Amino acid sequence: MTINHRIIMKEVQDYVVITLGLFLYAFGFTFFLMPYEIVTGGVSGIAAIIEYASGFPNQYTYFLINLALLVVALKILGLKFLMKTIYAIIVLTFLLGLMKELVPRDETGEMVKILGEGQNFMSLIIGCMMTGSALGIVFLNNGSTGGSDIIAASVNKYYNMSLGTVLFILDFMIVGSCLFIPQFGDILNRTHMIVFGFCTMMIENFMLDYIYNRRRSSVQFLIFSEKWQEIANAIGTRMDHGVTILDGHGWYSGKERKVLCILAKKNESTDMFRLIKMIDPHAFVSQSAVIGVFGEGFDAIKVKTPGSTSIDPTAPKTPKLKE
């Protein structure tokens, strides 16, 4: 398989998995959050608030706001940076409309609360677990759902503000806006909506971090074995993994020996232990979690150069809410 073919296949895989993630997001948002009029942050939160207050379909608001943001951001961030974002916005707009057609409705045309009356918080937990997991899936495959992501990236390019800070401020303002919308009832009801909105932010962020970081978690192995050469060859050939050989000196024995140092993904641990045990059941192995591994085969190094406040549009994005 040529390099170009592998690149194309990886891109196709990204788009397929992003689509599945968007499907899960649209399902969780429409079936569990909207019937209970639960608000969230981001552009999807703005769209939901407008529909709750006026009845204007949220998928149209979502698309129109993102369209305006894209027009502004194209000049700032470039088309290459926004290609998957444009795809996600179009697909999610379609899926939000589709899910609203599929969601059960009562005789008055209102969305049915599938968990029953009074189950607002349970529906919030289930819905946000779905939407947060969906965002993690999208971000893991180098995608983005646009919205406040675009605003944060644009602000970050010109001002020394982190993406997380910008996104938190935007989401706080969006959820907090419910306090000033009289259609949501008295001040107690509006405060209730705001508290629920902050809960959605926390649960979605937790699920996003869990999904994203679990997949990216890395570990370090230190392997002490008389059969170090066989183990290194097996790891390099069977697992297609790099191995670093360190020189060691035993304090008690006084002997020189080789130590294998390997950085791997956490989900490779079982295969690594199985392979080591097959070759040398008496090998001494140390496994430790590492905070981050950067470089070829792992995460890209994303650091601003001295004196620069811009981001690298070609680097994989750090997952941040909100769509």
Side-chain angles (χ1 to χ4, degrees), residues 176-249:
S177 67
C178 295
L179 189 65
F180 307 101
I181 302 177
Q183 287 89 336
F184 291 158
D186 58 27
I187 191 68
L188 184 60
N189 288 333
R190 290 181 238 170
T191 304
H192 187 267
M193 288 189 73
I194 291 173
V195 172
F196 266 51
F198 291 148
C199 288
T200 65
M201 291 167 55
M202 289 187 289
I203 296 172
E204 280 189 344
N205 274 290
F206 173 81
M207 290 304 301
L208 169 59
D209 289 341
Y210 179 79
I211 296 295
Y212 189 82
N213 292 325
R214 183 177 177 82
R215 170 80 177 272
R216 297 166 67 242
S217 295
S218 300
V219 292
Q220 176 181 270
F221 289 94
L222 292 177
I223 305 171
F224 304 80
S225 171
E226 296 295 334
K227 299 181 180 180
W228 62 269
Q229 186 70 65
E230 295 176 51
I231 294 174
N233 290 339
I235 292 173
T237 55
R238 298 189 196 180
M239 298 189 66
D240 193 24
H241 221 296
V243 180
T244 300
I245 301 174
L246 307 176
D247 291 321
H249 183 90

Side-chain angles (χ1 to χ4, degrees), residues 56 114 123 175 254 286 308:
F56 187 75
I114 59 176
S123 191
V175 173
S286 167
S308 171

Side-chain angles (χ1 to χ4, degrees), residues 1-13:
M1 185 182 293
T2 64
I3 294 177
N4 288 338
H5 187 59
R6 285 201 297 266
I7 292 174
I8 293 172
M9 291 301 296
K10 181 62 173 67
E11 284 294 303
V12 171
Q13 178 185 327

Side-chain angles (χ1 to χ4, degrees), residues 26-40 44 47-49 51-52 56-59 96 99-100 103 105 110-113 123 127:
F27 177 82
F29 190 85
T30 307
F31 278 72
F32 290 94
L33 300 184
M34 292 198 69
Y36 292 89
E37 295 194 351
I38 297 171
V39 299
T40 64
S44 61
I49 290 171
E51 176 163 342
Y52 299 155
F56 187 75
N58 68 319
Q59 66 268 29
L96 287 171
M99 291 300 168
K100 289 176 73 174
V103 68
R105 295 180 181 271
E110 296 294 325
M111 294 182 184
V112 173
K113 299 178 179 179
S123 191

Side-chain angles (χ1 to χ4, degrees), residues 76 150-161 163 166 309:
I76 300 173
I150 299 174
I151 300 174
S154 300
V155 170
N156 178 267
K157 185 166 184 177
Y158 294 105
Y159 300 96
N160 191 23
M161 292 181 67
L163 298 176
V166 178
T309 58

